[in-house]
Structures are given as C-alpha cells and as structure tokens.
Amino acid sequence: MNTAAPIRFYFDFSSPYGYLAATQIDALAARFGRSVDWRPVLLGVIMRSTGGKPLTEVPLKGDYSKHDFARSARFLGVPFQLPTPFPIATQAPARAFYWLHERDPALAAAFALATYRAFFVDGRDISSPATTIEVAVETLAASATPRRFSDANELRGELAEGIASAAIKEQLKNECDAALAAGVFGSPFFIVDGEPFFGADRLPQLEQWLTRGGF
Amino acid sequence: MNTAAPIRFYFDFSSPYGYLAATQIDALAARFGRSVDWRPVLLGVIMRSTGGKPLTEVPLKGDYSKHDFARSARFLGVPFQLPTPFPIATQAPARAFYWLHERDPALAAAFALATYRAFFVDGRDISSPATTIEVAVETLAASATPRRFSDANELRGELAEGIASAAIKEQLKNECDAALAAGVFGSPFFIVDGEPFFGADRLPQLEQWLTRGGF
C-alpha cells in the first residue's frame, strides 16, 4: 500500500544532472514506498523567466561543468558521455512524454529514462521527433508487461500525430508555466511533500528528509 | 610526516556554502594527512570576469538558496543564521587574512574560521575593519599555543595598519587574479592535486578522490 504522495521530479531531457538524478530517483523513492511523478520541462522556457543561461556557456564554470558531469557520473557508477551537439532542444521528447503519460503512465516513465540513456549514453539526437518515436517504440518492445499499445506500428503512428498536435504543445507550455509557478528554476528539481530540492547533489538531503520526515 | 600537497581552498567570507565547507575541510583533510591552504577571494571581482551575480539575487533561485543554506547547515549539523545585511563586501577580512598569513599561518587559518562563525553564527558585520580586527584579537586570545603576536594590543595596532596598506590591497588583488587564472569561478572551490571541485556539495567527491587517488 502506498498512500504517501509521489516525489515530483522536474527535469529537462538535455540536462546531464537531470540524467544522473533520473538514474537514482526510482530506487530512492522505492526505499520509502514512494512513487515518482516525472515532469519534463523546457529549461530554455524557464530561463527566459529567470535570466539563466546554459551552464556550459558560462565562462570558466562551463568548462568545469563538463568535467564535473563525467566525474559525477563516475562517482555514481553511471555510464555517461557528453553528446554532440549539446545542449539540444527537447520539445520532441517532452511532448512525447506527456502524450504517453495520458495513455500509459508506466510506459511514459520508462520512456523518460530510455530517452536520457539514448542521449547521454548512446549519443543519439533525441531532439529529433523520429528518434523520439523510435525510443518510445524500443521502450514498448522492452516492456515486460502488456501495455496500452498493442504493437510498434500502432504506437509509432499515434505518437507521430500526438507530438505534432496543438493540444500537446499547449500541454507542455502549461507544464512549464506550472513548474515556474512551483518555483522550479533548474534541472533536476524535486518537490517532496512541499519541500524543494535542486540538483542531483541534493539527493542525499532528499533521502534524509524522507528518512526523518524533515530535518 | 606529511609530504602530500595541501588542499587548496578558495572561498569568499560572504559565501554561506563557503562557510559550510570551512566547517568540514580541516577534519576531512586531516583524515588523509593533508593540510588546507586557505585562500580567501572576492567573488565580486571574480564575477566581473565571469558575468555571475550574487546567488540570492537570481529570480526563484535566490529564494530557494536562502532556504537551502539553512537546510544544508542542518544536514551537516552546523549552526547557521543568514545575517543582515547579506551579502557584504569582504575586503577587510580577506586582507586581514593575508596579512596574518604572512606572519602566522596557523593564526590566519583559525581567524578565517572564526570570521565565518562571527558572520554566519553570531551575525556580526565582518565587512567592517574594526570587527575584523576584533575577531583577529579574539582568535589570538583563544589560541592554545604561543603565537607570533605577544598580546592583543600589538596585534590590534599592527593589523589596523596592515589591512590599510597598499601592499596588502595589491596582494589581495593578485590572489583574485591568480584564482581566476586557476579556473576559480565560485565559492567554495577546492583544488586537490590539480583536480577542481566546486561547491560544499562536492566534498563527498573530494573525499572519494583522496580515498582512491582519483576515480
């Protein structure tokens, strides 16, 4: 039984620290009987409101961050390769996520992690709708349990239409606005029972928070 | 015997995460037979080169950061109170540090930690030369071993002259330039055997680095 609220997890598919957090958060949540509410956002949209800019473009900090992405991955024992090009626009996978989420939430969560791995492990260009759809199809094929979609062709056709629809574009826009309204300014960003945590390096504090019910 | 190179520790006296790191780094270094080379810098000078701005002034991130300073202190079990005013100019304690360091390095390191505590625990205005000098005098009084200065009056008089001197102003300027040249863009920033670590939240990686000689 799981009556506790899910951990809300905001991230951008082009965020290396978002990827690192994504490899950890499901197992962490499970240790506390929590589920994870994955919420992709567009950092580009958020940064237009906050005045931020891509980390790797900041003088000095940019070079350091590239070094730190890889070292932090090694620290966590997670595979990582900075892709080229980087950063990329992530409308396609973010829209695909929300479209899938309305139809099959578990498939959407698996797709999110698979998309991160496609980009940060395999170097595939997830900014492309075609790649996004292929990652969704691969995720469906890898699923051990029956899913909402009966086969790859059905998913491929419906998802291609879905991510091009005005409705899903509007939904992603609303998700970014809602994230900003919730105080989200970067990726990864977690909210646990109202408590905000920014950064993959705050996972130890998030875990402590769940262990002690706040501190 | 300690032949390993010291851990270089760059920080600004107005940096909350610098304070948190300062409460941890001596004990961490000692576990590996290392010493700590404390290097105060002026983040304001560094940010003129990198285009950064004070964390607490960034939209959304600013409010979060104030919350995170206090939570991170509780996480580490360290006392903390965000002072008013904040942030402050830190020329006075930074100059005092380098002046002391030339004369009594151990006293300078103790002064640095005492200055952080004066600001982030006791809320004293360490931007003032008078407060800076009093903190130095208190540090001398609390010292268990004989120091370079025979009494408070001697230190008070010499330090007042020292931090107003053109030589010490020039030295601090040179330290900031050297820090920038070494890639330092924020506080706290550590360099261990050539490896850079930014942020109090990188201390676990720094510790892993020392444990395994890199990873």
Side-chain angles (χ1 to χ4, degrees):
Chain A
M1 202 181 75
N2 178 0
T3 54
I7 294 171
R8 188 160 281 205
F9 171 32
Y10 297 95
F11 60 96
D12 183 303
F13 280 115
S14 185
S15 159
Y17 296 125
Y19 158 68
L20 295 181
T23 66
Q24 311 293 309
I25 192 61
D26 279 334
L28 195 166
R31 289 199 287 281
F32 298 91
R34 301 278 185 136
S35 60
V36 179
D37 180 10
W38 295 62
R39 296 264 162 174
V41 294
L42 304 177
L43 269 193
V45 170
I46 284 173
M47 285 175 172
R48 278 205 293 276
S49 289
T50 62
K53 65 173 168 177
L55 191 54
T56 50
E57 293 173 19
V58 178
L60 295 183
K61 196 171 189 172
D63 286 339
Y64 170 83
S65 72
K66 291 178 194 171
H67 183 78
D68 188 68
F69 299 156
R71 187 181 61 203
S72 294
R74 296 195 305 275
F75 183 67
L76 294 169
V78 165
F80 174 86
Q81 185 73 46
L82 192 67
T84 306
F86 173 87
I88 55 164
T90 54
Q91 277 85 352
R95 288 173 188 161
F97 174 90
Y98 286 111
W99 187 89
L100 288 168
H101 190 263
E102 290 228 335
R103 288 152 183 86
D104 189 332
L107 183 64
F111 162 80
L113 194 52
T115 298
Y116 260 143
R117 290 195 176 122
F119 189 46
F120 287 114
V121 181
D122 302 326
R124 294 163 69 184
D125 179 7
I126 60 163
S127 72
S128 129
T131 302
T132 284
I133 292 165
E134 285 319 298
V135 172
V137 165
E138 291 157 22
T139 306
L140 179 66
S143 178
T145 52
R147 305 247 63 98
R148 152 77 175 73
F149 304 93
S150 53
D151 63 27
N153 282 338
E154 180 192 345
L155 173 59
R156 194 177 275 120
E158 288 190 31
L159 182 53
E161 260 183 55
I163 64 177
S165 70
I168 207 70
K169 292 178 185 179
E170 181 69 16
Q171 187 180 346
L172 178 56
K173 190 184 166 302
N174 292 342
E175 289 286 345
C176 293
D177 290 345
L180 267 171
V184 175
F185 54 80
S187 166
F189 198 101
F190 302 92
I191 300 180
V192 180
D193 303 338
E195 183 72 10
F197 297 89
F198 168 57
D201 40 35
R202 285 297 174 275
L203 288 176
Q205 290 195 25
L206 191 160
E207 182 151 16
Q208 180 80 281
W209 195 269
L210 287 168
T211 302
R212 297 167 56 183
F215 61 83
Chain B
M1 200 180 76
N2 179 1
T3 54
I7 295 171
R8 190 159 281 206
F9 171 32
Y10 297 94
F11 61 96
D12 183 302
F13 279 114
S14 184
S15 159
Y17 296 125
Y19 158 67
L20 294 182
T23 65
Q24 311 294 308
I25 192 61
D26 279 333
L28 196 166
R31 290 199 287 279
F32 297 91
R34 301 277 185 137
S35 60
V36 179
D37 181 9
W38 296 62
R39 295 265 164 175
V41 293
L42 303 177
L43 269 193
V45 170
I46 284 174
M47 285 176 172
R48 277 203 294 276
S49 291
T50 62
K53 65 173 167 176
L55 191 53
T56 51
E57 293 173 19
V58 179
L60 294 182
K61 197 171 189 173
D63 286 339
Y64 169 83
S65 71
K66 290 178 195 172
H67 184 77
D68 188 68
F69 298 156
R71 188 181 60 203
S72 295
R74 295 195 304 274
F75 183 68
L76 294 170
V78 165
F80 174 84
Q81 184 74 47
L82 192 66
T84 306
F86 173 86
I88 55 164
T90 54
Q91 278 84 352
R95 288 173 188 161
F97 174 89
Y98 287 111
W99 187 89
L100 287 168
H101 191 263
E102 290 228 334
R103 288 152 184 87
D104 189 332
L107 183 64
F111 162 80
L113 194 53
T115 298
Y116 260 143
R117 290 196 175 122
F119 189 45
F120 287 114
V121 180
D122 301 327
R124 294 164 68 185
D125 180 7
I126 60 163
S127 71
S128 128
T131 303
T132 284
I133 291 164
E134 284 319 299
V135 173
V137 166
E138 291 158 20
T139 306
L140 178 66
S143 178
T145 51
R147 305 246 63 97
R148 151 76 174 74
F149 303 93
S150 54
D151 65 25
N153 282 337
E154 179 192 346
L155 173 59
R156 194 177 275 121
E158 289 191 30
L159 182 53
E161 258 184 57
I163 64 178
S165 71
I168 209 72
K169 292 177 185 179
E170 182 70 16
Q171 187 180 346
L172 177 57
K173 190 183 167 301
N174 292 342
E175 290 286 345
C176 293
D177 290 346
L180 267 170
V184 175
F185 54 81
S187 165
F189 197 102
F190 303 91
I191 300 180
V192 180
D193 303 338
E195 182 72 9
F197 297 89
F198 168 57
D201 40 35
R202 285 297 175 276
L203 288 177
Q205 290 194 25
L206 191 160
E207 181 151 17
Q208 180 80 279
W209 195 269
L210 287 169
T211 302
R212 298 167 57 184
F215 59 84

